[in-house]
Amino acid sequence: MKYDFNTIEQKWNTYWKEHQTYQLKNQFDKPKYYVLDMFPYPSGAGLHVGHPLGYIATDIFSRYKRMKGFNVLHPMGFDAFGLPAEQYALETGQHPAVTTENNIKRYKEQLDNIGFNYDWSREIQTSDPKYYKWTQWIFTKIFHSWLNPKTQKAEPINTLLALFEKEGNISVQKEKASLFTAEEWKNFKEEDQRNILMQYRLAYLAEAEVWWCEALNTVLANDEVVNGVSERGGFPVEKKKMSQWFLRITDYADRLLDSLNDLDWTDAMKEMQRNWIGRSEGAVVEFQLKDENRKIEVFTTRPDTIFGVDFIVLAPELNYIETISTPEQQEAVNNYIKYVKSRSERERIAEKKISGCFTGAFVIHPFTKREIPIWISEYVLSGYGTGAIMAVPSGDDRDFAFAQHFDIEISNIFGTQFDGTKAFSSKEGIIENSDFISGKTIKEAADLILKAIEAQGIGQSKINFKLRDAGFSRQRYWGEPFPIVYKNNIPYSIDEAELNLKEADKNLPVLLPHVDHYGPGPNGQGPLANISNFVNIQNSNGENLLRETNTMPGYAGSSWYFLRYMSPNDSENFVDEEACKYWQSVDLYVGGTEHAVGHLLYSRFWTKVLFDLAYTKFEEPFKRLLNQGMIQGSSRFVYRIKGAACQFVSEGLKDQYETDAIHVDVNLVNGTELDLEAFKKWRAEYADAHFILEEEKYICGVEIEKMSKSKYNVVNPDNIVKEYGADTFRMYEMFLGPIEMSKPWDTKGIEGVHRFLKKLWRLFFDEQTEEFIVTDEAPNKAELKILHQSIKKVIDDIEKFSFNTSVAQFMILVNELSDLKCHKKAILSQVVLLLNPFAPHISEELWHHLGYEGSINDASFPIFEEKHIVETEKTYPVAINGKHRTNIAFPLTAEAKDVEPVVLENEIVQKWLEGKPHKKIIFVKGKMINVIV
RNA sequence: GCGGGUGUGGUGAAAUUGGUAGACACGCUAGACUUAGGAUCUAGUGCUGCGAGGCAUGGGGGUUCGAGUCCCUCCACCCGCACCA
């Protein structure tokens, strides 16, 4: 009997489906473990071999945990709203709901081929009204909340209303807002009251810039703007202000920062979040405009350098620039502002090019009374701090470069520490030439300046965050509609009584209406604005109201999806209370680093809000986070000779010609050798191709790139599964290398893993006689040794998520058992159990042949709990005269859980040295020794 | 530019966390069995040298009896940078 993986895998996939092996009950009495993958966006291209990498790892881990007796939640779903489906709809006219459904169907088939243990009865799709109903519901809760600065917790907006009615805004006054009393509050018009509340809501409306393309009459995403023009059509784009929804995540900046410490995430991941939040302590300082009773407020992290200010730089989009520029400079300023409008933020900060424009205006230095010029430049961003900086060229690299470029004289406040060729940007140093802070350290100087500006009433210390509020509006079709209705231009959540909505309009979800075309609405509004019976509604009083026509961004649905898996079909609540109490937060979350700041930060924010509002019992969504690397594609190139119509030259000879490198489908290439006939058939234009060969072969060029359709380097897991089986595919993906590392896919290497499984099969079946050859003989020492070594190694590696080394250990195990000709049930049944998380199909099949009924996955087995006898040797390195090393081996017998030697290491070594001449023994950290003889 | 990461044979990688560098595989080279099989098995395979040996973990420097591992510095590549998800 041969290892017929196709039949075996089909058999068990069907068995699991029919017996609902992986369907999970909320068994609240068992210990729980929640394993989650970042759910995929179902793209039209289908899964490629890179997608399942993390899924296989979590599948192994969840099977392992289940075998250890845990109740394991390991669900899967789809992040189904998004831009690509809409762009596809624009091109083809196909409804995103239809293409999305097809894509999901394809994804599920592909996933099922690999044999994952998902409980599909818990599947969620963010574009499903049953799901986005609750996304909208959570949005209304966020809209109806504010962050109480005293408790630092979200509270219902009613508590703020009560406060206003009792004492006005005295204790919760927002920066730059005027004070009002309770009496005044009550006399405000409804519109003014709502506007004030809007300044507190955790979801609020504000003006913000978007990319606007006049020619396409639409708003574009950053991804749709390439090199300053629209990706579609190459039309010019510019920034335009529009009213947008935001989530006030900045109110949670400190908490998001603090609770990072308790998470079991990699340091790199935490560091990226910290830097993204970007807390910095500094000061705001006012500079008086010359000849005018107005002030410019700057934020600086280096108040100590205030005597080194040589110019002020404003972000070009600040609206007061026009009013301070002198008439002579006005035109130059306007031109510069126009130029900046066409620049992306990335370009502005990434390019080395220095640009700016003098406004003609000056401020007066608060201490020296010196006149300081005001410039505008794109390197200052309006969204950070006050959008204005005090430039200190002797202490800041960018300011230095700017001063040099525009020939601005540089004041030196660091004495000899500043050499005039580059800024002295160290945070340790002595301030010089700075009046009353000369000779002080930077730290002391900063404190003194803070005191001085506070005394003068021109500034105070301030903590600033790089983090910005999260833009939550998209002028798109394929997203969640907002549960928001405007009455007299004032936004209301549809559950508010003031709206007097008809019963049918009051309830969630607000369904995404069907549209016939997906083009933008008037004035840059989203496609929903075109549907008048969606937009225009009447309330019970017969008043005309307007619905919000924006939709929510992609991260809305993904910010809370981990909660929905706990009770995916609950129609009464976003999550069932009991289930939520039991499952708590995700124990292990696996996904790519590309989500390090976006999704993970938003999700943490939503979780905290829901916690504050007492809807959940935990504050962090993901306790342990692991990142998986990307599997890159290995692209192949052919070299077409320039000028010659259809002539290609082999890689080794290409330098003799002028050629264009052209991507060729990897599936037409065996290693690096091109299949000429297949290539000719690939495309009509290549039917008459001629080739210049080397050694009778056409060799292709190779480059490692992102796996993508357009590069023809996509490898479909379906083909691999068909050819080698899912178990081989699973183990090979794990064997490729550490999960977190990016690496190129190479189909050739899969043979080794496939051989391993065939070899394993031959421990059970004699392929010559076609007989089952497992015996009931008792195992011997050698067999037990390799078995138990492997159990220990594999389990340790699973816990460490080091699956590549566990697969290697399996290979060693099977090689040794083959050499020992071990066909004993006592050994093999243990091997099968251990292998089950990695290669579930073959394990089930062999388990069945060993005479066991049902599925391994139906029950938990004690293999991972038992103490096993481990016979092993531990070696101790000893250096002689600091140079030559010997290892002394000591046999020891211990139990698996307690493999440490009973005897202290040093004593072992000393015992070994007994009777051997030596002068001196050097102990290092009580462990390593160096023997001087 | 800023933030994070990675760098070891022809290739993917391993290394008890400071202790014999290259486990386990791919590939390659021989051979066995086979009357073509992309099956299986055996041996070899970092570089260099006939050899004992010498040299090797991106480059350079340092700490240490001992460095792939720790420190400094330079280089290359990958990911993210707020409307891709």
Side-chain angles (χ1 to χ4, degrees), chain A residues 73-338:
Chain A
L73 178 55
H74 181 220
M76 182 46 80
F78 298 93
D79 193 8
F81 274 134
L83 197 51
E86 186 158 340
Q87 285 168 329
Y88 190 70
L90 270 168
E91 284 164 30
T92 65
Q94 285 203 62
H95 198 283
V98 175
T99 50
T100 303
E101 197 193 317
N102 289 339
N103 293 347
I104 288 177
K105 207 175 142 228
R106 172 119 190 268
Y107 266 59
K108 284 174 75 171
E109 280 168 11
Q110 290 187 293
L111 289 170
D112 280 340
N113 272 340
I114 302 168
F116 291 121
N117 66 353
Y118 301 131
D119 175 359
W120 283 118
S121 72
R122 288 177 184 255
E123 175 190 357
I124 57 178
Q125 300 176 6
T126 54
S127 61
D128 181 347
K130 291 200 289 292
Y131 180 85
Y132 72 67
K133 169 184 180 177
W134 297 109
T135 309
Q136 292 172 338
W137 180 85
I138 295 172
F139 175 81
T140 64
K141 297 301 160 196
I142 298 175
F143 176 74
H144 288 310
S145 306
W146 69 297
L147 187 98
N148 186 333
K150 285 207 188 91
T151 56
Q152 281 296 309
K153 279 192 151 200
E155 293 179 7
I157 198 86
N158 290 339
T159 65
L160 180 64
L161 266 174
L163 196 69
F164 284 166
E165 279 165 12
K166 196 174 141 221
E167 54 164 58
N169 65 346
I170 180 89
S171 62
V172 292
Q173 187 188 7
K174 285 267 169 178
E175 233 176 284
K176 290 183 184 151
S178 44
L179 264 180
F180 55 79
T181 63
E183 203 54 38
E184 285 169 320
W185 169 257
K186 284 167 199 157
N187 292 327
F188 285 148
K189 285 186 297 192
E190 188 185 354
E191 183 180 352
D192 296 329
Q193 288 187 336
R194 304 265 326 176
N195 283 339
I196 290 168
L197 288 178
M198 194 59 100
Q199 295 168 15
Y200 291 84
R201 292 183 191 276
L202 290 180
Y204 65 97
L205 209 50
E207 290 275 304
E209 284 188 334
V210 291
W211 279 117
W212 170 252
C213 179
E214 188 67 41
L216 294 170
N217 188 35
T218 186
V219 174
L220 296 175
N222 283 344
D223 266 23
E224 297 174 296
V225 178
V226 180
N227 300 326
V229 294
S230 68
E231 189 181 29
R232 262 183 300 141
F235 301 112
V237 292
E238 64 167 23
K239 305 264 190 58
K240 183 180 169 181
K241 284 207 164 166
M242 283 184 74
S243 187
Q244 309 271 318
W245 285 97
F246 284 90
L247 300 186
R248 210 179 293 278
I249 191 171
T250 49
D251 273 1
Y252 277 77
D254 269 321
R255 277 172 67 190
L256 288 168
L257 209 50
D258 291 344
S259 54
L260 269 180
N261 299 330
D262 310 324
L263 297 177
D264 184 9
W265 294 13
T266 59
D267 291 337
M269 200 52 64
K270 290 184 187 181
E271 195 59 22
M272 276 190 261
Q273 290 229 338
R274 282 193 197 104
N275 292 335
W276 187 257
I277 294 168
R279 185 180 197 275
S280 59
E281 292 178 13
V284 285
V285 187
E286 287 172 359
F287 285 79
Q288 180 81 37
L289 268 172
K290 181 192 165 198
D291 303 330
E292 236 185 302
N293 190 20
R294 282 167 57 186
K295 290 157 186 154
I296 286 177
E297 201 172 52
V298 304
F299 173 77
T300 177
T301 56
R302 294 288 303 275
D304 51 288
T305 61
I306 195 160
F307 286 94
V309 177
D310 290 319
F311 51 100
I312 298 287
V313 188
L314 308 180
E317 49 273 79
L318 293 182
N319 48 26
Y320 61 79
I321 287 170
E322 208 179 328
T323 65
I324 61 167
S325 308
T326 56
E328 305 81 65
Q329 288 300 103
Q330 196 72 56
E331 198 190 334
V333 167
N334 286 345
N335 285 340
Y336 187 71
I337 291 173
K338 204 173 158 209

Side-chain angles (χ1 to χ4, degrees), chain A residues 549-767:
Chain A
T549 59
N550 283 330
T551 52
M552 299 186 196
Y555 64 82
S558 61
S559 288
W560 72 282
Y561 76 113
F562 74 98
L563 289 165
R564 190 65 185 167
Y565 284 127
M566 300 172 184
S567 54
N569 302 311
D570 190 336
S571 56
E572 300 301 312
N573 300 289
F574 77 106
V575 62
D576 175 73
E577 203 184 329
E578 276 296 298
C580 186
K581 222 164 104 187
Y582 174 70
W583 289 110
Q584 299 272 323
S585 34
V586 175
D587 294 286
L588 176 69
Y589 195 36
V590 176
T593 39
E594 66 271 23
H595 300 285
V597 285
H599 159 61
L600 286 171
L601 203 60
Y602 297 134
S603 197
R604 294 182 62 216
F605 166 57
W606 282 47
T607 307
K608 284 186 191 302
V609 175
L610 290 169
F611 169 78
D612 286 355
L613 299 175
Y615 291 113
T616 62
K617 298 265 186 284
F618 47 88
E619 226 184 303
E620 282 291 337
F622 315 116
K623 278 191 268 195
R624 183 178 177 198
L625 173 73
L626 288 172
N627 296 114
Q628 103 235 5
M630 236 193 308
I631 292 198
Q632 294 146 321
S634 182
S635 305
R636 296 289 183 275
F637 293 89
V638 291
Y639 301 92
R640 187 171 61 197
I641 297 173
K642 279 188 183 168
C646 209
Q647 227 186 357
F648 298 89
V649 58
S650 185
E651 203 266 341
L653 307 170
K654 73 172 197 295
D655 293 341
Q656 301 169 16
Y657 303 86
E658 286 235 334
T659 57
D660 292 314
I662 298 170
H663 275 101
V664 58
D665 193 327
V666 280
N667 299 301
L668 307 178
V669 183
N670 181 13
T672 55
E673 188 188 347
L674 183 66
D675 180 337
L676 301 180
E677 290 312 308
F679 179 73
K680 284 182 181 176
K681 279 185 208 142
W682 185 38
R683 292 217 179 137
E685 56 187 295
Y686 299 146
D688 300 322
H690 293 278
F691 304 95
I692 300 174
L693 306 177
E694 52 183 314
E695 290 168 16
E696 314 274 296
K697 290 173 182 172
Y698 189 97
I699 304 299
C700 295
V702 177
E703 209 168 297
I704 305 302
E705 300 178 294
K706 210 169 184 165
M707 209 173 262
S708 102
K709 227 177 171 179
S710 62
K711 297 188 171 94
Y712 300 104
N713 60 3
V714 172
V715 181
N716 187 329
D718 298 0
N719 298 338
I720 306 291
V721 168
K722 210 178 287 162
E723 202 169 333
Y724 297 98
D727 288 338
T728 299
F729 175 66
R730 290 167 59 109
M731 292 199 85
Y732 181 54
E733 287 240 339
M734 294 300 99
F735 185 60
L736 270 177
I739 288 288
E740 67 276 11
M741 217 84 96
S742 289
K743 57 237 147 190
W745 175 265
D746 175 17
T747 303
K748 276 202 151 178
I750 203 168
E751 293 285 352
V753 176
H754 195 56
R755 273 177 210 144
F756 150 74
L757 285 177
K758 286 195 279 192
K759 215 169 193 178
L760 171 77
W761 187 259
R762 289 198 297 270
L763 289 175
F764 292 76
F765 298 98
D766 187 320
E767 293 192 334

Side-chain angles (χ1 to χ4, degrees), chain A residues 888-917:
Chain A
I888 335 162
F890 287 87
L892 58 111
T893 303
E895 305 236 275
K897 282 195 173 172
D898 185 25
V899 286
E900 290 310 310
V902 206
V903 199
L904 284 175
E905 294 179 4
N906 293 336
E907 288 177 35
I908 296 176
V909 176
Q910 270 170 352
K911 201 171 166 194
W912 176 76
L913 285 168
E914 266 171 32
K916 296 184 175 65

